[in-house]
Amino acid sequence: MATLKEIARAAGVSTATVSNVINGNYKRVSEETVAQIQALIRQAGYVPNQAARSLAQRESRFIAIIVQASPDENIFLNPYNATYVGALIVNLYKKGYYPLIRFTDDFGAVEQDIRGWNVAGALFNGSYSRYLENLESLAFIPSVFTDCYFDLPGVNHVRLDDEAGGRIAGDYLYRMGHRRAAFVAMALEDSDVDKRRLVGFRDALGRHDLTVPDQWVFPSADFEAQRERLTALLGSPDGPTAFFCSADQIALHLIDFMRSVGLSVPGDISVMGFDNLPIASVSVPKLTTVAQDIDQKALVSVDTLVRHIQNKDLTPEKVILGVSLVERESVRRLG
Amino acid sequence: MATLKEIARAAGVSTATVSNVINGNYKRVSEETVAQIQALIRQAGYVPNQAARSLAQRESRFIAIIVQASPDENIFLNPYNATYVGALIVNLYKKGYYPLIRFTDDFGAVEQDIRGWNVAGALFNGSYSRYLENLESLAFIPSVFTDCYFDLPGVNHVRLDDEAGGRIAGDYLYRMGHRRAAFVAMALEDSDVDKRRLVGFRDALGRHDLTVPDQWVFPSADFEAQRERLTALLGSPDGPTAFFCSADQIALHLIDFMRSVGLSVPGDISVMGFDNLPIASVSVPKLTTVAQDIDQKALVSVDTLVRHIQNKDLTPEKVILGVSLVERESVRRLG
DNA sequence: CTGTTAGCGCCTTCAG
DNA sequence: CTGAAGGCGCTAACAG
């Protein structure tokens, strides 16, 4: 395991010079020296020690990726999370940063990571609650929050126009002849995203004097736990003819539930999703959904973060990404 | 940002003592001192600098998770990868290690990570080729390979009994009355896993004097690219009545393809998957598949690795996990 | 263009 | 049970 000092000695130069060529400061070194040192580095198979580097610079190339969840929950079981985090990782590497991934709802742990590793920045995902007010580290490192509606001062935000998404769904269902529609959230209580989508949905329907009664909004996708309530609703002659789900993942499970009670989608009941995950285009039926561009969201998040890392006195940014309708098979035209 | 030295001064003790209480070496410190120091640490919000720690110890708490892929490919788009890596992360954290994730097919980069960060161990996923022979770092750090059939000396392996999986599929299809079956791989050329599953599949069928002709094995799941060949096959009166896919993900796409050409599954054609991902139980039709236990695989991989980190002169282990049949809806009984 | 000199924050003998 | 001292590998002024 060669060290910088050793290759300096071998080259007959100082460590400072070697450090310069390693870090691409070629203007401070003669061409020949650069070439010679690079040759030595290659030949010795020298790899800089990142810990030493971080220590000396008081900053690492790590970016914390924090996903709010129980630490022993595999959040990648949710395809949206997996897709998004995967896209973040790809974009981070392109910019020369390492992801430091943490699934947790313990902000003490988050702070340990951030401070302990001297991370260069942090990416928070999910609708965080006010726990965050106590996250002192945030004052010192650049960070961007995705899909968070809790307004922290001085922090960057990247999110969707969730209300517009809800409106798109409401409008579309209305246009397709539906007059009675229900809503299924991922976790209504904790998720501002769910709340906004519901607001938009009710808003669009409201313009046609239609309402979504509270008994028709399902706060979570645990259909088994709500089986009785759901089947009662489904059995009623003036029950909903369509369900708008806050995620494709939910829609898929809803469709499965419908099947289990002998109902067909979209034959008997229409279902709309949100996200437009890849799976939405191969499911049976293919999902009509409100699409977001997950890759773009990841790209924007990383770009914004890196920009703020490189220039610490940039002003906080808030970017709202648009969403759009993708019409497929899971919604039937009525009447 | 308090440092160890500062809290030592505040406590009126040496840095060595503080270091001991931080690392739980309580036997070398009096109870009162421990309590006092812990109080100071809490109050100062002191977080140890991990870079300094790694530097001094010449080892970090990182475990490299390497997935062979192009660096700008989001591998979590594949639900199997996402699920497995997510499970690894969860298990790693339980043991007090950090995941250092890298998607790449450039083993120079892998070596940079491993050496640069002084990782404590490495987890390799996928059927690696002989590139690995040149990975000198492997000689020095504990590692485990999952689903790899390339036998490196002195390295741990965790994988499935893929041949048995193929046999289970072949037997089942035969039992269900199928006499002509095809096979779809993820990436036959590069994947030993695919090859083994095919071997097992052919083996089981061969016992009944049935063969799977080469024209019936599809080396990848890019159905669009092979549309003509596939439809010709499907249109033929003595074409296959069933397809065994090397992954649930493939099966889902195949089913979609079948639909696009007006064929129903399992009405016209039966389809079997492999993996038993969560999605397999809510798809339409629900997938009959060869199940593996992904959580168990992750747990065993992490346990094995940690054991070898803690005791460097353990002997290499090779663990083969069993697979089993999960019967659902996508295979029809014939005749 | 290149060398010297201090640290960065922590761990780890070795004494006491 | 505690302290002193050296060093892990690299960077960053500041000289030259």
Side-chain angles (χ1 to χ4, degrees), chain A residues 3-4 19 23 46 48-49 52-53 56:
Chain A
T3 69
L4 185 151
S19 176
N23 296 299
Y46 166 70
N49 181 316
R53 195 172 199 280

Side-chain angles (χ1 to χ4, degrees), chain A residues 47-48 86 92 161 166 195 201 235 315 328:
Chain A
V47 177
L92 246 23
D161 192 342
K195 288 180 185 137
F201 189 54
T315 235
R328 284 194 276 246

Side-chain angles (χ1 to χ4, degrees), chain B residues 115-128:
Chain B
R115 307 243 309 263
W117 286 108
N118 276 130
V119 306
L123 257 9
F124 289 86
N125 308 283
S127 10
Y128 284 87

